[in-house]
Amino acid sequence: MKKVIALLLAVLMLMGLMACASKTAETPKEDTTAQTPAEPAEKTEEPAKADGDGFKVAISLAEYNEWNKLYEAVIAQKCEEWGWTYEIFDSKQDASTQIDQVNSIIAQGFDAMTIQAVDNAALAPVVGQAADNGVIVVDHYGFADELGISDKIYKVLFGQKESGIMEAEEYIKVAGESGKVAIIAGLTGADNAQQRTAGFEEVLSQYPDIEIVATQYCDWDTQKAQAAAEDIITANPDLVGFLVQDDGMSKGVWNAVEAAGKQDQITIASQGFYEWSIPYIKEGKFAFTITYPAGFFSRDAMDLIKAVSEGQEVDRVQYLGMELVTKDNVDTAAHD
């Protein structure tokens, strides 16, 4: 009997030892489980490698025209490089439409916006709201300080009035200090068109023998400019010059001048400068133009937005340079 009890005790002790060994073998499983969170931690870091993940830029345009196609091209390059996205909002030169679009930009949570305002005074309140809602706003048409949003937004500009002054001064050098001239301007009521016209008038008013016989706003449209030029030439057969605010409209003006057979009588002064403008300059259809490439605007605007988004301090107003383009430098001047 004692032997049987001893045998039972031995079996029980052996079973206890086996159970302890089993628990010890399971311990590494607990350690392994404790280490598993390390893998997800590495995975969550991966999206941070895309610097611009989710960053959205709205492009609010007065009109999607040839100039703005060049403007968009650089924005597309920058967004691809940085991993950003962008969307074009074409107001088709309607201030009410543009106001609605800016409200939509705010509602959709865009991070930044560039704007070419159809009407600065009309757009100022909603643009200020966009800035108040955290949108980085870059203005290209020069909201005046008295509109009350200059301390909220950024501006990448070129001197609109200064371009008009430069064009008129060069016209005087080329065509002389007398005769009847006409102005072909951009969008009625738009600040940039009005400022360029003011620049023309400031210079031409200094020459008593120059008469401005007409100022026609043609909405940056080639066909409208051609029709206006035809009417002006018919009413003023002794006209000697057109001062035009964009090469696109100058193309229409040239068509009117050529149709009237007055190529040797009428001088066309212009600004804007596109690739297709090069033969017009070389062939003397335009006496000259002024370049302020669209791509320079978008390049500087996007670089500014990136700097601000990264917390850098930048000047709220930045200016682009202008360059006179003639036959002498038409092959080397920047045009996009």
Side-chain angles (χ1 to χ4, degrees):
M1 186 66 180
K2 289 181 179 179
K3 290 181 179 181
V4 173
I5 293 171
L7 182 60
L8 289 172
L9 289 171
V11 171
L12 290 171
M13 290 177 63
L14 181 60
M15 291 176 64
L17 288 171
M18 291 175 64
C20 289
S22 177
K23 289 179 181 179
T24 304
E26 290 173 0
T27 302
K29 292 182 180 179
E30 294 175 0
D31 292 342
T32 302
T33 303
Q35 293 172 4
T36 53
E39 290 184 10
E42 292 177 359
K43 290 179 181 178
T44 56
E45 290 175 2
E46 289 179 4
K49 294 177 183 177
D51 292 340
D53 189 31
F55 196 95
K56 301 189 301 180
V57 183
I59 311 300
S60 177
L61 302 178
E63 179 185 35
Y64 189 71
N65 52 23
E66 184 174 2
W67 193 91
N68 276 316
K69 290 178 184 178
L70 300 173
Y71 179 84
E72 181 191 2
V74 174
I75 288 173
Q77 292 170 3
K78 292 283 189 180
C79 284
E80 182 178 0
E81 177 184 349
W82 298 336
W84 294 5
T85 59
Y86 75 93
E87 184 175 343
I88 296 289
F89 293 82
D90 179 4
S91 68
K92 302 185 185 300
Q93 300 182 350
D94 184 81
S96 296
T97 298
Q98 194 168 33
I99 290 169
D100 291 341
Q101 289 174 343
V102 175
N103 277 319
S104 177
I105 288 165
I106 297 169
Q108 291 182 56
F110 278 85
D111 299 286
M113 173 179 72
T114 70
I115 184 163
Q116 302 164 17
V118 173
D119 183 323
N120 281 356
L123 267 294
V126 72
V127 170
Q129 290 173 22
D132 289 339
N133 278 272
V135 181
I136 302 168
V137 178
V138 179
D139 158 42
H140 289 311
Y141 280 7
F143 285 99
D145 290 344
E146 53 265 31
L147 294 175
I149 63 171
S150 292
D151 60 340
K152 299 179 179 181
I153 66 174
Y154 299 87
K155 301 177 183 180
V156 173
L157 311 170
F158 90 101
Q160 302 283 356
K161 184 177 180 180
E162 287 76 9
S163 76
I165 290 172
M166 184 176 184
E167 183 177 335
E169 288 179 341
E170 188 64 20
Y171 171 83
I172 296 297
K173 294 177 185 176
V174 171
E177 302 179 3
S178 63
K180 294 181 178 180
V181 302
I183 294 171
I184 300 295
L187 178 63
T188 305
D191 291 78
N192 61 339
Q194 291 179 337
Q195 290 175 36
R196 294 181 202 187
T197 298
F200 293 161
E201 292 172 344
E202 181 176 307
V203 173
L204 297 180
S205 66
Q206 301 171 28
Y207 298 90
D209 293 330
I210 288 182
E211 179 186 359
I212 301 175
V213 296
T215 299
Q216 293 289 328
Y217 284 81
C218 298
D219 301 338
W220 313 110
D221 184 85
T222 300
Q223 297 303 319
K224 289 181 180 180
Q226 180 171 337
E230 289 170 351
D231 290 343
I232 292 169
I233 292 169
T234 299
N236 301 275
D238 53 347
L239 189 83
V240 297
F242 281 102
L243 281 76
V244 191
Q245 293 184 0
D246 180 76
D247 281 8
M249 294 189 296
S250 291
K251 183 189 291 187
V253 172
W254 167 257
N255 292 340
V257 169
E258 185 177 40
K262 295 182 179 292
Q263 302 95 312
D264 296 330
Q265 174 184 317
I266 298 176
T267 298
I268 299 175
S270 190
Q271 56 178 278
F273 194 41
Y274 309 110
E275 186 172 359
W276 62 259
S277 305
I278 294 173
Y280 278 74
I281 297 292
K282 287 184 173 181
E283 295 165 16
K285 296 177 180 179
F286 306 163
F288 62 86
T289 191
I290 298 169
T291 183
Y292 34 86
F296 287 12
F297 280 84
S298 44
R299 175 202 64 194
D300 289 2
M302 293 296 283
D303 288 347
L304 187 154
I305 289 169
K306 193 169 195 297
V308 174
S309 72
E310 293 173 348
Q312 299 179 36
E313 291 188 9
V314 301
D315 292 337
R316 287 201 173 267
V317 182
Q318 301 181 17
Y319 287 96
L320 297 173
M322 297 178 287
E323 183 180 3
L324 184 71
V325 182
T326 67
K327 291 180 180 180
D328 295 334
N329 66 340
V330 67
D331 288 321
T332 57
H335 56 76
D336 53 23

